[in-house]
């Protein structure tokens, strides 16, 4: 389980395809603290550390993960948000994040507003994921509060600290992002479906 509070940024050093799997090697300031088999969220995708080499570590993504997330668009040199799994007893500063991306979305607008930014994202509403005003959403692994909730679109407000310390500074119109919707909302939505 994660919180959506990004610890640091990593940079993709290399990408290697092996049959249906893809190995991503990432350079990070927290590599020395990682262990083999440890879970780390990469842009909100929970991946397992399979090898460590000095400041670099490698994770492997299977075909389903590649198809359902934005990992297929990752390139060497890209910056990714990193968060290690929370420890029992830690403060839950963000919200409950599973590291299981529900679907991708696309940035449709970026607007600066007196030193902060509003990002608007659109997603496929036919997959039955929903947002609510002032509810929680995870965008590329970042725990955020929804504003301007619509059927297939929502916005988030980004303060300068978040803009600089996550990869939000790389997101522009057209950028594909990972979305994990609020787990409580997903259960409520599923219960409503079953009642019908």
């Amino acid at each position: 389980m994660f919180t959506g509070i990004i610890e640091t940024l990593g940079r993709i050093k290399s990408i290697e395809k092996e049959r249906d799997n893809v190995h991503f090697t990432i350079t990070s300031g927290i590599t020395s603290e990682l262990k083999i088999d440890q879970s780390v969220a990469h842009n909100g995708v929970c991946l397992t550390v399979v090898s460590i080499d000095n400041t670099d570590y490698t994770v492997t993504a299977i075909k389903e993960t590649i198809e359902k997330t934005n990992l297929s668009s990752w390139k060497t040199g890209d910056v990714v948000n990193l968060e290690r799994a929370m420890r029992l007893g830690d403060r839950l500063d963000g919200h409950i994040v599973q590291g299981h991306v529900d679907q991708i979305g696309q940035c449709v607008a970026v607007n600066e507003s007196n030193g902060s930014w509003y990002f608007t994202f659109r997603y496929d509403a036919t997959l039955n994921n929903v947002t609510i005003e002032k509810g929680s959403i995870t965008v590329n692994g970042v725990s955020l509060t929804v504003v301007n909730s619509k059927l297939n679109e929502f916005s988030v407000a980004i303060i300068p600290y978040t803009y600089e310390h996550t990869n939000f500074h790389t997101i522009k119109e057209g950028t594909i992002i990972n979305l994990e919707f609020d787990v409580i909302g997903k259960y409520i939505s599923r219960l409503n479906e079953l009642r019908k």
Side-chain angles (χ1 to χ4, degrees), residues 109-130:
V110 180
N111 297 298
E112 189 173 356
S113 177
N114 293 319
S116 293
W117 293 263
Y118 282 92
F119 287 78
T120 301
F121 300 102
R122 189 168 294 147
Y123 61 94
D124 181 359
T126 65
L127 298 179
N128 297 322
N129 292 308
V130 296

Side-chain angles (χ1 to χ4, degrees), residues 43-131:
N43 278 4
V45 182
C46 180
L47 298 170
T48 301
V49 176
V50 297
S51 69
I52 298 171
D53 182 17
N54 295 318
T55 58
D56 304 330
Y57 70 92
T58 301
V59 293
T60 301
I62 63 174
K63 182 180 179 182
E64 182 181 7
T65 304
I66 297 294
E67 291 175 347
K68 292 188 175 180
T69 68
N70 71 359
L71 271 67
S72 61
S73 66
W74 285 8
K75 303 179 299 300
T76 301
D78 281 356
V79 174
V80 295
N81 296 324
L82 301 177
E83 180 192 358
R84 288 174 286 179
M86 71 178 295
R87 292 175 293 209
L88 193 62
D90 279 356
R91 288 187 177 92
L92 186 61
D93 289 325
H95 72 281
I96 296 171
V97 177
Q98 296 179 300
H100 303 154
V101 170
D102 294 304
Q103 64 182 97
I104 57 172
Q106 184 172 35
C107 179
V108 294
V110 180
N111 297 298
E112 189 173 356
S113 177
N114 293 319
S116 293
W117 293 263
Y118 282 92
F119 287 78
T120 301
F121 300 102
R122 189 168 294 147
Y123 61 94
D124 181 359
T126 65
L127 298 179
N128 297 322
N129 292 308
V130 296
T131 61

Side-chain angles (χ1 to χ4, degrees), residues 109-173:
V110 180
N111 297 298
E112 189 173 356
S113 177
N114 293 319
S116 293
W117 293 263
Y118 282 92
F119 287 78
T120 301
F121 300 102
R122 189 168 294 147
Y123 61 94
D124 181 359
T126 65
L127 298 179
N128 297 322
N129 292 308
V130 296
T131 61
I132 62 166
E133 199 71 18
K134 307 303 180 194
S136 296
I137 187 74
T138 307
V139 177
N140 272 358
V142 183
S143 172
L144 297 164
T145 301
V146 171
V147 295
N148 198 23
S149 174
K150 297 179 181 177
L151 178 63
N152 68 334
E153 192 176 287
F154 67 93
S155 299
V156 292
I158 301 297
I159 62 172
Y161 182 89
T162 304
Y163 187 83
E164 294 163 10
H165 289 86
T166 70
N167 63 9
F168 261 90
H169 62 271
T170 69
I171 296 175
K172 56 186 184 297
E173 282 188 42

